[in-house]
Amino acid sequence: MTGGTTTAASTRRWPLVVILLVGVGLALAPAAFQMFSRAPEGGTMIEEFRPFMNSQTITDFRGYLDEIGAARDETTGELQPALGTPEEFAAEYPQAAAFVEQWDGIDADMSDMLDTIDANRDEFDGVSSLPAFALFPWFFVAPGVLLVVVAGWSLVRTRRGRRPLTVALVVLGVGLLLAPAVFQMFTRAPGGGRMIDDFESLMTRDRVTQIQGYFITIGSGEGQLRTAVVPAAVEQDGGTAADYPATAQLSDDWPQLLAEMSDMVGAMADNLDNYAAVAALPPFPLFPWFFVIPGVLVIVLALVARPRRPDSPAPDSLPASP
């Protein structure tokens, strides 16, 4: 048969049915995984974390912890001994004493938080370089719908004795196959998965509430050091507040320090639900294969569905030569 037509019997139709089903699966995947709501929430989290996921901010925050630690050391080394025994100091200045007592644990926990964030900066950069999260569902829906349309139309054509749209199906398959490479998903997606796993210990209501409580402990201690402890030490031993430089420095910087670190913890608190939404998506390392496997299937099946040449007549059926 000529003119782009073939017999229905010469075309395998089942591969086209499978391709159509692959398209339906891709198109419905975002609904099955709730990507239309979860993916945008992930995008919101990425944008709100961006100001804190850089080397300079982490370095600044580590410096703030050092500054607070220096004030604590100065309190235990100079201020507290000048004002009595540890018991007398705790009874007279409970907020300052609580700060002194709890600082080691606070420092260790907040340093661990900064270490976790710092260790995932490259992963964050990789994920944030992916296309906008809100577009993720459409990366499944668009090729899925195209596969359904082209495979469905190919089935209609074969019923009418015409050829399937093999070239169009192969092009769609190649597009799916190449998409992860184009968007560097093979490196970025696993990194995103590691970041989600590492942040699991940080992004809980209890952990965030605990960290917010640290600021109350530090702030109350700083306030009592500034308004009561240092004046008492100056009154007893003479000199000025400047004789306690670490404590004076903390008092000067505390408003800025509190504001900047509270912004980061506030971003964590605001994004607990967004993190939970992202964590509920399929594992990030699987995302490239959601495109590669259907892509390979579509290419192979489209080639299998190509019209076959009619079998040549058997030799003994040929007319005898005169």
Side-chain angles (χ1 to χ4, degrees):
M1 194 163 291
T2 60
T5 62
T6 185
T7 63
S10 65
T11 299
R12 295 186 179 94
R13 303 184 68 227
W14 66 264
L16 299 174
V17 174
V18 176
I19 293 174
L20 188 147
L21 293 176
V22 169
V24 171
L26 276 174
L28 295 181
F33 295 122
Q34 302 180 41
M35 285 187 187
F36 286 105
S37 59
R38 291 171 174 170
E41 289 176 329
T44 299
M45 185 180 76
I46 290 293
E47 289 307 313
E48 295 192 4
F49 273 28
R50 193 182 300 281
F52 312 105
M53 299 298 293
N54 61 81
S55 177
Q56 186 58 56
T57 298
I58 299 300
T59 299
D60 289 346
F61 285 4
R62 291 190 196 282
Y64 294 158
L65 295 185
D66 290 342
E67 185 175 331
I68 298 169
R72 193 290 301 266
D73 292 345
E74 190 171 77
T75 301
T76 56
E78 300 182 38
L79 289 167
Q80 182 269 313
L83 298 174
T85 66
E87 292 76 17
E88 292 170 338
F89 184 83
E92 186 70 21
Y93 310 105
Q95 288 83 13
F99 160 59
V100 168
E101 181 182 358
Q102 296 177 32
W103 174 246
D104 284 340
I106 294 173
D107 185 29
D109 197 29
M110 294 192 69
S111 294
D112 177 71
M113 177 186 69
L114 294 178
D115 289 345
T116 300
I117 294 172
D118 195 19
N120 284 280
R121 284 191 296 105
D122 289 343
E123 281 75 6
F124 177 87
D125 290 341
V127 172
S128 66
S129 298
L130 290 170
F133 272 46
L135 298 178
F136 275 21
W138 301 104
F139 291 154
F140 291 86
V141 171
V145 170
L146 286 174
L147 286 175
V148 169
V149 170
V150 178
W153 184 238
S154 293
L155 284 168
V156 171
R157 284 172 60 90
T158 56
R159 282 183 181 276
R160 296 173 179 172
R162 297 176 66 84
R163 296 173 182 275
L165 300 172
T166 304
V167 173
L169 290 171
V170 169
V171 168
L172 287 173
V174 170
L176 285 169
L177 193 61
L178 294 180
V182 170
F183 294 117
Q184 301 180 44
M185 286 187 184
F186 286 106
T187 55
R188 292 171 173 171
R194 289 191 295 273
M195 182 179 73
I196 293 298
D197 290 343
D198 285 354
F199 277 18
E200 183 177 4
S201 62
L202 296 180
M203 298 301 289
T204 68
R205 181 68 63 188
D206 288 346
R207 183 75 182 273
V208 171
T209 300
Q210 184 179 32
I211 294 172
Q212 290 172 326
Y214 295 159
F215 295 122
I216 297 175
T217 300
I218 300 169
S220 298
E222 182 278 325
Q224 195 161 51
L225 286 172
R226 171 169 42 83
T227 61
V229 175
V230 171
V234 169
E235 181 179 355
Q236 178 162 312
D237 294 341
T240 67
D243 294 330
Y244 306 98
T247 306
Q249 186 69 52
L250 176 60
S251 294
D252 288 343
D253 294 344
W254 178 245
Q256 177 186 351
L257 187 159
L258 176 63
E260 293 184 14
M261 297 194 78
S262 293
D263 283 347
M264 183 179 72
V265 179
M268 292 169 60
D270 292 342
N271 284 279
L272 290 175
D273 291 341
N274 294 333
Y275 170 82
V278 175
L281 288 171
F284 273 41
L286 295 182
F287 271 86
W289 303 102
F290 289 158
F291 297 94
V292 169
I293 293 175
V296 171
L297 272 176
V298 169
I299 294 170
V300 172
L301 291 169
L303 295 177
V304 171
R306 285 182 304 173
R308 291 165 295 172
R309 291 183 179 179
D311 293 337
S312 300
D316 58 359
S317 66
L318 293 175
S321 299

